[in-house]
Structures are given as C-alpha cells and as structure tokens.
Amino acid sequence: MSLSEELFEKTTINRRLELALRDNKNEIINLRTQIDQQSETLKDMESLKSVTEEQDIMKKEMERLFQSSWSVLNSLCSQYYEKDSPKLRQTFVKHIENEIKKLKNPKAQAELEKSVNRYMGGIIAHLREEYKCVKSKDIPFLTLLIAGLSPKTVCLFQDMSLDNFYVKRYRIVKKIEESDNPDKDWVISLIMNSKS
C-alpha cells in the first residue's frame, strides 16, 4: 500500500470517527435533555404528592372542626332542653358565658389564627408581614372576621359594642385601601365577607 493510499485510508477512518463522535455527542445531548425532562417530571410528581398530602391533612382538619362545631351546638341544645325552671335556664346562660370565656383565652385565639392561616392561604401571616398599617392589636379582630364569624359574635369575643365593631372595621379597611399592597382588594374582600 502506497503512502497516499495509506493517508487516504487514515483520513477516511478519521472522518468516520469524527462523524461517529459527532453522532455520540448528539446522542449524549439528547440523553441529557431526556434526563432533564424526566427530572422535571419527577419534581412535578413529588410536588403533586406533597399537594395531595396537604389536601388530605386539610380535609381531616376541616372534618374535625366541622364535627366539633356540631358537638358544641348539640351539647348546648341538650342542656337547654334539660332546664325546665327559670333558675336552671339561668345556669345554662352562665354555662354559655363560661364557654365564650374559654374561647377568648390567648391559647384558643392562637389556635384559631393558626387554622385561619392554614386554610386561608396564610392570610394572617401575610397581614402581619406585608401590611404595616395593620396594628398587631387588630390581628385577633381580623382573624375572627376572616374566619367568618358574624359581627355580633366578634363583638362578644372582643368585648365591644356593635357600633364600635363597624367603626373599627371601617378604620382598618380604610388603612388597607390607602396602602400600596398589590393584593389589597383581595384582603379587603376577606375582611368585608364576614356575615355583616
């Protein structure tokens, strides 16, 4: 084999190797792309699993809260029907007042705030962090409103008159309206959505 033939053969082999190398590089790029896509799919699946687990927790908590709210009503109705005399009914009213006092304590209010945050997109934490115009002393009032309690119920928990309730709610809403927060309309809708 002559030198030129040998050189031609080596050049041909070299070109074939370059083409094979280029094909392998393209295949590696395609495999990396597939791996990246599969990694994203796996992340999405993990995220969905996390969301599903959170929804299960929320469902169980909502069921618990729903059932406990009926148990209080059942207990109150049962006690009321057992009271035949005015004196016994007076005792019943005292019992209701004691139950309201229990719900006014800081631990019960903290639990309510925690539940409202959990089930309403972290709204109370958002108010604390993003709305500097809202005073910390107004947070329990807002928590009760956003939880969906009626004005009269809020008044019982806050030891305020109905007139003061409307003045306080108006004052807070006005401050929020004047803020620069982009989601203020949403926050106001939650506050005003109480059973006014």
Side-chain angles (χ1 to χ4, degrees), residues 99-146:
E99 290 300 314
I100 291 171
K101 284 179 187 174
K102 285 181 192 175
L103 294 172
K104 285 182 177 181
N105 79 50
K107 184 177 178 184
Q109 288 185 6
E111 189 62 34
L112 178 62
E113 182 176 328
K114 184 178 171 185
S115 292
V116 169
N117 266 325
R118 183 179 300 139
Y119 300 113
M120 299 196 71
I123 181 63
I124 303 302
H126 181 65
L127 281 169
R128 286 185 186 278
E129 293 168 15
E130 300 297 326
Y131 286 85
K132 302 303 178 198
C133 60
V134 174
K135 297 175 185 172
S136 62
K137 70 178 185 173
D138 293 332
I139 293 295
F141 175 80
L142 291 171
T143 301
L144 295 169
L145 278 176
I146 293 169

Short mmCIF file of all heavy atoms in Angstrom, two decimals, residues 99-146:
data_model
loop_
_atom_site.label_atom_id
_atom_site.label_comp_id
_atom_site.label_asym_id
_atom_site.label_seq_id
_atom_site.Cartn_x
_atom_site.Cartn_y
_atom_site.Cartn_z
N GLU A 99 -68.29 29.20 78.37
CA GLU A 99 -67.74 28.66 77.13
C GLU A 99 -67.16 29.78 76.27
O GLU A 99 -66.10 29.63 75.67
CB GLU A 99 -68.82 27.89 76.35
CG GLU A 99 -69.23 26.58 76.98
CD GLU A 99 -68.08 25.60 77.13
OE1 GLU A 99 -67.30 25.42 76.17
OE2 GLU A 99 -67.94 25.02 78.22
N ILE A 100 -67.84 30.91 76.24
CA ILE A 100 -67.33 32.06 75.48
C ILE A 100 -66.01 32.54 76.08
O ILE A 100 -65.06 32.85 75.36
CB ILE A 100 -68.38 33.19 75.41
CG1 ILE A 100 -69.55 32.75 74.54
CG2 ILE A 100 -67.77 34.49 74.90
CD1 ILE A 100 -70.74 33.69 74.56
N LYS A 101 -65.93 32.57 77.40
CA LYS A 101 -64.68 32.97 78.07
C LYS A 101 -63.54 32.05 77.70
O LYS A 101 -62.41 32.49 77.49
CB LYS A 101 -64.87 33.00 79.59
CG LYS A 101 -65.65 34.19 80.08
CD LYS A 101 -65.81 34.15 81.59
CE LYS A 101 -66.75 35.26 82.05
NZ LYS A 101 -67.04 35.17 83.48
N LYS A 102 -63.82 30.74 77.63
CA LYS A 102 -62.78 29.77 77.24
C LYS A 102 -62.25 30.09 75.84
O LYS A 102 -61.06 29.98 75.58
CB LYS A 102 -63.34 28.35 77.24
CG LYS A 102 -63.53 27.75 78.60
CD LYS A 102 -64.06 26.33 78.46
CE LYS A 102 -64.55 25.78 79.77
NZ LYS A 102 -65.16 24.45 79.60
N LEU A 103 -63.15 30.45 74.95
CA LEU A 103 -62.75 30.74 73.57
C LEU A 103 -62.03 32.08 73.44
O LEU A 103 -61.39 32.35 72.44
CB LEU A 103 -63.97 30.70 72.65
CG LEU A 103 -64.62 29.33 72.50
CD1 LEU A 103 -65.92 29.45 71.74
CD2 LEU A 103 -63.68 28.35 71.84
N LYS A 104 -62.15 32.93 74.46
CA LYS A 104 -61.47 34.23 74.44
C LYS A 104 -60.01 34.13 74.87
O LYS A 104 -59.23 35.04 74.62
CB LYS A 104 -62.17 35.21 75.39
CG LYS A 104 -63.46 35.76 74.89
CD LYS A 104 -63.99 36.75 75.93
CE LYS A 104 -65.23 37.43 75.52
NZ LYS A 104 -65.70 38.40 76.52
N ASN A 105 -59.62 33.03 75.49
CA ASN A 105 -58.26 32.96 76.03
C ASN A 105 -57.22 32.95 74.91
O ASN A 105 -57.51 32.53 73.79
CB ASN A 105 -58.09 31.79 77.01
CG ASN A 105 -57.91 30.46 76.32
OD1 ASN A 105 -57.08 30.30 75.43
ND2 ASN A 105 -58.68 29.47 76.74
N PRO A 106 -56.02 33.43 75.20
CA PRO A 106 -54.98 33.55 74.17
C PRO A 106 -54.65 32.24 73.45
O PRO A 106 -54.38 32.24 72.25
CB PRO A 106 -53.76 34.07 74.95
CG PRO A 106 -54.35 34.76 76.14
CD PRO A 106 -55.58 33.98 76.48
N LYS A 107 -54.70 31.13 74.17
CA LYS A 107 -54.38 29.85 73.53
C LYS A 107 -55.42 29.51 72.46
O LYS A 107 -55.07 29.09 71.36
CB LYS A 107 -54.32 28.74 74.59
CG LYS A 107 -53.89 27.40 74.05
CD LYS A 107 -53.78 26.37 75.13
CE LYS A 107 -53.39 25.02 74.54
NZ LYS A 107 -53.37 23.97 75.55
N ALA A 108 -56.70 29.71 72.77
CA ALA A 108 -57.76 29.43 71.81
C ALA A 108 -57.67 30.38 70.62
O ALA A 108 -57.87 29.98 69.47
CB ALA A 108 -59.13 29.53 72.48
N GLN A 109 -57.34 31.65 70.90
CA GLN A 109 -57.21 32.62 69.81
C GLN A 109 -56.01 32.29 68.92
O GLN A 109 -56.08 32.43 67.70
CB GLN A 109 -57.11 34.03 70.37
CG GLN A 109 -58.43 34.51 70.93
CD GLN A 109 -58.39 35.96 71.38
OE1 GLN A 109 -57.42 36.67 71.18
NE2 GLN A 109 -59.48 36.40 71.98
N ALA A 110 -54.91 31.83 69.53
CA ALA A 110 -53.74 31.44 68.74
C ALA A 110 -54.07 30.24 67.86
O ALA A 110 -53.62 30.16 66.71
CB ALA A 110 -52.57 31.11 69.67
N GLU A 111 -54.84 29.31 68.38
CA GLU A 111 -55.26 28.13 67.60
C GLU A 111 -56.14 28.55 66.43
O GLU A 111 -56.00 28.04 65.32
CB GLU A 111 -55.99 27.13 68.50
CG GLU A 111 -56.26 25.81 67.86
CD GLU A 111 -55.02 25.04 67.44
OE1 GLU A 111 -53.98 25.12 68.13
OE2 GLU A 111 -55.08 24.36 66.40
N LEU A 112 -57.04 29.50 66.67
CA LEU A 112 -57.88 30.00 65.59
C LEU A 112 -57.03 30.68 64.52
O LEU A 112 -57.22 30.46 63.33
CB LEU A 112 -58.94 30.97 66.13
CG LEU A 112 -59.85 31.60 65.07
CD1 LEU A 112 -60.66 30.54 64.36
CD2 LEU A 112 -60.75 32.64 65.70
N GLU A 113 -56.08 31.50 64.94
CA GLU A 113 -55.21 32.18 63.97
C GLU A 113 -54.43 31.15 63.15
O GLU A 113 -54.29 31.29 61.93
CB GLU A 113 -54.25 33.12 64.69
CG GLU A 113 -53.35 33.88 63.74
CD GLU A 113 -52.44 34.90 64.42
OE1 GLU A 113 -52.84 35.48 65.45
OE2 GLU A 113 -51.33 35.10 63.92
N LYS A 114 -53.94 30.12 63.82
CA LYS A 114 -53.20 29.06 63.13
C LYS A 114 -54.09 28.37 62.08
O LYS A 114 -53.66 28.14 60.96
CB LYS A 114 -52.71 28.04 64.16
CG LYS A 114 -51.86 26.94 63.62
CD LYS A 114 -51.39 26.05 64.76
CE LYS A 114 -50.71 24.80 64.25
NZ LYS A 114 -50.37 23.89 65.36
N SER A 115 -55.33 28.08 62.43
CA SER A 115 -56.26 27.43 61.50
C SER A 115 -56.59 28.35 60.32
O SER A 115 -56.63 27.91 59.18
CB SER A 115 -57.55 27.03 62.21
OG SER A 115 -57.29 26.00 63.13
N VAL A 116 -56.84 29.62 60.62
CA VAL A 116 -57.15 30.56 59.54
C VAL A 116 -55.96 30.67 58.60
O VAL A 116 -56.13 30.66 57.37
CB VAL A 116 -57.55 31.95 60.11
CG1 VAL A 116 -57.62 33.00 59.01
CG2 VAL A 116 -58.88 31.86 60.83
N ASN A 117 -54.76 30.73 59.12
CA ASN A 117 -53.56 30.77 58.27
C ASN A 117 -53.47 29.52 57.41
O ASN A 117 -53.20 29.60 56.21
CB ASN A 117 -52.29 30.90 59.11
CG ASN A 117 -51.86 32.33 59.28
OD1 ASN A 117 -52.03 33.15 58.40
ND2 ASN A 117 -51.32 32.64 60.43
N ARG A 118 -53.68 28.37 58.02
CA ARG A 118 -53.53 27.10 57.32
C ARG A 118 -54.54 26.96 56.19
O ARG A 118 -54.21 26.52 55.10
CB ARG A 118 -53.68 25.93 58.28
CG ARG A 118 -53.47 24.57 57.60
CD ARG A 118 -53.60 23.40 58.55
NE ARG A 118 -52.64 23.49 59.61
CZ ARG A 118 -52.90 23.20 60.89
NH1 ARG A 118 -54.10 22.81 61.25
NH2 ARG A 118 -51.97 23.31 61.80
N TYR A 119 -55.78 27.34 56.45
CA TYR A 119 -56.84 27.07 55.48
C TYR A 119 -57.22 28.24 54.60
O TYR A 119 -58.06 28.11 53.72
CB TYR A 119 -58.07 26.51 56.21
CG TYR A 119 -57.72 25.24 56.91
CD1 TYR A 119 -57.71 25.17 58.28
CD2 TYR A 119 -57.31 24.13 56.19
CE1 TYR A 119 -57.33 24.01 58.94
CE2 TYR A 119 -56.93 22.97 56.83
CZ TYR A 119 -56.95 22.91 58.20
OH TYR A 119 -56.56 21.76 58.83
N MET A 120 -56.59 29.38 54.83
CA MET A 120 -56.92 30.54 54.01
C MET A 120 -55.65 31.18 53.44
O MET A 120 -55.51 32.40 53.39
CB MET A 120 -57.76 31.53 54.82
CG MET A 120 -59.06 30.90 55.28
SD MET A 120 -60.29 32.05 55.83
CE MET A 120 -60.75 32.83 54.30
N GLY A 121 -54.76 30.33 53.04
CA GLY A 121 -53.58 30.80 52.31
C GLY A 121 -52.60 31.64 53.10
O GLY A 121 -51.92 32.47 52.52
N GLY A 122 -52.53 31.46 54.40
CA GLY A 122 -51.56 32.21 55.21
C GLY A 122 -51.91 33.68 55.34
O GLY A 122 -51.03 34.53 55.52
N ILE A 123 -53.20 33.99 55.28
CA ILE A 123 -53.64 35.39 55.24
C ILE A 123 -53.21 36.19 56.46
O ILE A 123 -52.80 37.35 56.33
CB ILE A 123 -55.17 35.49 55.01
CG1 ILE A 123 -55.63 36.95 54.95
CG2 ILE A 123 -55.95 34.75 56.10
CD1 ILE A 123 -55.07 37.73 53.82
N ILE A 124 -53.29 35.62 57.65
CA ILE A 124 -52.95 36.40 58.85
C ILE A 124 -51.45 36.68 58.89
O ILE A 124 -51.03 37.80 59.19
CB ILE A 124 -53.44 35.69 60.13
CG1 ILE A 124 -54.96 35.43 60.06
CG2 ILE A 124 -53.09 36.48 61.37
CD1 ILE A 124 -55.82 36.66 59.88
N ALA A 125 -50.65 35.68 58.56
CA ALA A 125 -49.19 35.89 58.48
C ALA A 125 -48.88 36.96 57.43
O ALA A 125 -48.02 37.83 57.64
CB ALA A 125 -48.48 34.58 58.16
N HIS A 126 -49.59 36.91 56.33
CA HIS A 126 -49.41 37.91 55.26
C HIS A 126 -49.76 39.31 55.78
O HIS A 126 -49.03 40.27 55.50
CB HIS A 126 -50.29 37.52 54.07
CG HIS A 126 -50.18 38.44 52.90
ND1 HIS A 126 -49.01 38.58 52.17
CD2 HIS A 126 -51.08 39.27 52.32
CE1 HIS A 126 -49.21 39.46 51.20
NE2 HIS A 126 -50.46 39.89 51.27
N LEU A 127 -50.85 39.42 56.51
CA LEU A 127 -51.22 40.72 57.09
C LEU A 127 -50.13 41.22 58.03
O LEU A 127 -49.77 42.41 58.01
CB LEU A 127 -52.54 40.62 57.86
CG LEU A 127 -53.82 40.62 57.03
CD1 LEU A 127 -55.01 40.26 57.90
CD2 LEU A 127 -54.02 41.97 56.38
N ARG A 128 -49.63 40.34 58.87
CA ARG A 128 -48.58 40.74 59.83
C ARG A 128 -47.31 41.21 59.12
O ARG A 128 -46.68 42.17 59.54
CB ARG A 128 -48.23 39.56 60.75
CG ARG A 128 -49.26 39.25 61.80
CD ARG A 128 -48.73 38.15 62.73
NE ARG A 128 -49.71 37.69 63.68
CZ ARG A 128 -49.99 38.30 64.82
NH1 ARG A 128 -49.36 39.41 65.14
NH2 ARG A 128 -50.89 37.80 65.64
N GLU A 129 -46.95 40.52 58.03
CA GLU A 129 -45.68 40.82 57.36
C GLU A 129 -45.78 41.96 56.34
O GLU A 129 -44.88 42.78 56.25
CB GLU A 129 -45.18 39.56 56.64
CG GLU A 129 -44.79 38.45 57.59
CD GLU A 129 -44.58 37.11 56.89
OE1 GLU A 129 -44.45 37.10 55.65
OE2 GLU A 129 -44.56 36.09 57.59
N GLU A 130 -46.86 41.98 55.58
CA GLU A 130 -46.93 42.89 54.44
C GLU A 130 -47.74 44.16 54.68
O GLU A 130 -47.62 45.11 53.93
CB GLU A 130 -47.51 42.16 53.22
CG GLU A 130 -46.69 40.95 52.79
CD GLU A 130 -45.29 41.31 52.34
OE1 GLU A 130 -45.10 42.39 51.75
OE2 GLU A 130 -44.38 40.50 52.60
N TYR A 131 -48.58 44.15 55.69
CA TYR A 131 -49.45 45.30 55.93
C TYR A 131 -49.05 45.98 57.23
O TYR A 131 -49.62 45.73 58.29
CB TYR A 131 -50.92 44.87 55.96
CG TYR A 131 -51.45 44.57 54.58
CD1 TYR A 131 -51.27 43.32 54.00
CD2 TYR A 131 -52.12 45.54 53.85
CE1 TYR A 131 -51.73 43.05 52.72
CE2 TYR A 131 -52.59 45.28 52.57
CZ TYR A 131 -52.39 44.04 52.02
OH TYR A 131 -52.86 43.78 50.76
N LYS A 132 -48.06 46.85 57.13
CA LYS A 132 -47.56 47.56 58.31
C LYS A 132 -48.61 48.52 58.87
O LYS A 132 -48.54 48.94 60.02
CB LYS A 132 -46.27 48.31 57.99
CG LYS A 132 -45.16 47.42 57.47
CD LYS A 132 -44.84 46.30 58.43
CE LYS A 132 -43.77 45.40 57.86
NZ LYS A 132 -43.70 44.12 58.51
N CYS A 133 -49.61 48.86 58.05
CA CYS A 133 -50.67 49.76 58.51
C CYS A 133 -51.62 49.07 59.48
O CYS A 133 -52.38 49.74 60.20
CB CYS A 133 -51.46 50.30 57.32
SG CYS A 133 -52.27 49.03 56.32
N VAL A 134 -51.57 47.74 59.53
CA VAL A 134 -52.43 46.99 60.45
C VAL A 134 -51.67 46.79 61.76
O VAL A 134 -50.57 46.23 61.77
CB VAL A 134 -52.84 45.62 59.84
CG1 VAL A 134 -53.61 44.79 60.85
CG2 VAL A 134 -53.64 45.83 58.57
N LYS A 135 -52.27 47.23 62.84
CA LYS A 135 -51.62 47.10 64.15
C LYS A 135 -51.75 45.66 64.64
O LYS A 135 -52.74 44.99 64.37
CB LYS A 135 -52.28 48.04 65.16
CG LYS A 135 -52.14 49.51 64.80
CD LYS A 135 -52.91 50.37 65.76
CE LYS A 135 -52.87 51.83 65.33
NZ LYS A 135 -53.76 52.65 66.14
N SER A 136 -50.76 45.23 65.41
CA SER A 136 -50.79 43.85 65.92
C SER A 136 -52.00 43.61 66.83
O SER A 136 -52.54 42.51 66.87
CB SER A 136 -49.49 43.49 66.63
OG SER A 136 -49.30 44.34 67.75
N LYS A 137 -52.46 44.68 67.51
CA LYS A 137 -53.63 44.51 68.38
C LYS A 137 -54.91 44.30 67.58
O LYS A 137 -55.92 43.84 68.12
CB LYS A 137 -53.77 45.70 69.33
CG LYS A 137 -54.17 46.99 68.67
CD LYS A 137 -54.34 48.12 69.66
CE LYS A 137 -54.86 49.36 68.97
NZ LYS A 137 -55.19 50.41 69.89
N ASP A 138 -54.89 44.62 66.27
CA ASP A 138 -56.06 44.42 65.42
C ASP A 138 -56.10 43.01 64.80
O ASP A 138 -57.11 42.63 64.22
CB ASP A 138 -56.09 45.46 64.29
CG ASP A 138 -56.34 46.87 64.81
OD1 ASP A 138 -57.00 46.99 65.87
OD2 ASP A 138 -55.88 47.83 64.17
N ILE A 139 -55.02 42.27 64.92
CA ILE A 139 -54.95 40.94 64.29
C ILE A 139 -56.01 39.99 64.84
O ILE A 139 -56.68 39.31 64.05
CB ILE A 139 -53.53 40.35 64.42
CG1 ILE A 139 -52.53 41.17 63.58
CG2 ILE A 139 -53.50 38.88 64.01
CD1 ILE A 139 -52.75 41.15 62.08
N PRO A 140 -56.23 39.90 66.17
CA PRO A 140 -57.30 38.99 66.63
C PRO A 140 -58.68 39.37 66.07
O PRO A 140 -59.46 38.48 65.70
CB PRO A 140 -57.26 39.15 68.16
CG PRO A 140 -55.87 39.60 68.46
CD PRO A 140 -55.47 40.47 67.29
N PHE A 141 -58.95 40.65 65.98
CA PHE A 141 -60.21 41.14 65.41
C PHE A 141 -60.33 40.67 63.95
O PHE A 141 -61.35 40.11 63.54
CB PHE A 141 -60.23 42.67 65.50
CG PHE A 141 -61.41 43.33 64.85
CD1 PHE A 141 -62.64 43.38 65.50
CD2 PHE A 141 -61.30 43.92 63.60
CE1 PHE A 141 -63.73 44.01 64.91
CE2 PHE A 141 -62.37 44.55 63.01
CZ PHE A 141 -63.60 44.59 63.66
N LEU A 142 -59.26 40.87 63.17
CA LEU A 142 -59.27 40.48 61.76
C LEU A 142 -59.35 38.96 61.60
O LEU A 142 -59.99 38.46 60.68
CB LEU A 142 -58.03 41.04 61.06
CG LEU A 142 -58.02 42.55 60.90
CD1 LEU A 142 -56.67 43.04 60.38
CD2 LEU A 142 -59.15 43.02 60.00
N THR A 143 -58.70 38.24 62.50
CA THR A 143 -58.74 36.77 62.44
C THR A 143 -60.18 36.29 62.58
O THR A 143 -60.62 35.41 61.83
CB THR A 143 -57.86 36.16 63.55
OG1 THR A 143 -56.51 36.62 63.37
CG2 THR A 143 -57.88 34.65 63.50
N LEU A 144 -60.90 36.85 63.52
CA LEU A 144 -62.30 36.46 63.72
C LEU A 144 -63.14 36.80 62.50
O LEU A 144 -63.99 36.01 62.07
CB LEU A 144 -62.87 37.15 64.97
CG LEU A 144 -62.25 36.75 66.30
CD1 LEU A 144 -62.70 37.68 67.41
CD2 LEU A 144 -62.57 35.30 66.65
N LEU A 145 -62.91 37.96 61.92
CA LEU A 145 -63.66 38.36 60.72
C LEU A 145 -63.37 37.43 59.55
O LEU A 145 -64.28 36.94 58.88
CB LEU A 145 -63.27 39.79 60.31
CG LEU A 145 -63.94 40.92 61.05
CD1 LEU A 145 -63.37 42.25 60.58
CD2 LEU A 145 -65.43 40.89 60.82
N ILE A 146 -62.09 37.20 59.30
CA ILE A 146 -61.70 36.38 58.15
C ILE A 146 -62.13 34.93 58.35
O ILE A 146 -62.43 34.23 57.38
CB ILE A 146 -60.18 36.52 57.89
CG1 ILE A 146 -59.89 37.95 57.43
CG2 ILE A 146 -59.69 35.52 56.87
CD1 ILE A 146 -58.43 38.33 57.38
#
